[in-house]
Amino acid sequence: MGSFGLCIDGSCVKVSHAIPVRDGAFSEVSVVDLLDLGVMKEVHRMIKKRGTMRLFIRDKSWGGPEPKKVIGYIEASKFVVMSVKAHGVVWEYVCRSLS
């Protein structure tokens, strides 16, 4: 897994390994402008059963990935898309953990 940032309650750190948080610690996690399967699997581990992940990704016209790729990563990390909303040039994918 590559390096990535983790922000909780306004405190951000750079992480390059498993996040030191117990399994099922959060009911909701937001991921901003980062599409990484390792990170999303780690979010799945940290989130409570049937918890929510909010994934904010730039629109393709602003350098973001193809929507099919986003959906593929979401499904591969054991989430299901509940809704998708546009916020200007950013898309918000609201996802629910399958387990």
Side-chain angles (χ1 to χ4, degrees), residues 20-69:
V21 172
R22 66 178 166 79
D23 295 359
F26 304 105
S27 57
E28 184 172 309
V29 173
S30 294
V31 178
V32 180
D33 205 26
L34 179 66
L35 189 62
D36 179 282
L37 190 55
V39 170
M40 293 171 72
K41 286 182 176 181
E42 195 60 5
V43 168
H44 186 270
R45 180 190 67 76
M46 296 185 314
I47 210 163
K48 292 179 181 178
K49 185 176 181 179
R50 308 282 298 151
T52 301
M53 174 180 68
R54 294 181 182 277
L55 179 62
F56 296 89
I57 299 290
R58 281 177 286 151
D59 187 81
K60 183 181 172 205
S61 66
W62 282 78
E66 291 279 346
K68 283 185 181 181
K69 183 177 181 180

Side-chain angles (χ1 to χ4, degrees), residues 67-88:
K68 283 185 181 181
K69 183 177 181 180
V70 176
I71 300 296
Y73 274 58
I74 290 168
E75 292 174 348
S77 54
K78 300 181 183 174
F79 286 95
V80 63
V81 177
M82 302 303 289
S83 67
V84 179
K85 300 178 210 171
H87 300 281

Side-chain angles (χ1 to χ4, degrees), residues 6-13:
L6 170 67
C7 298
I8 299 174
D9 294 332
S11 298
C12 299
V13 294

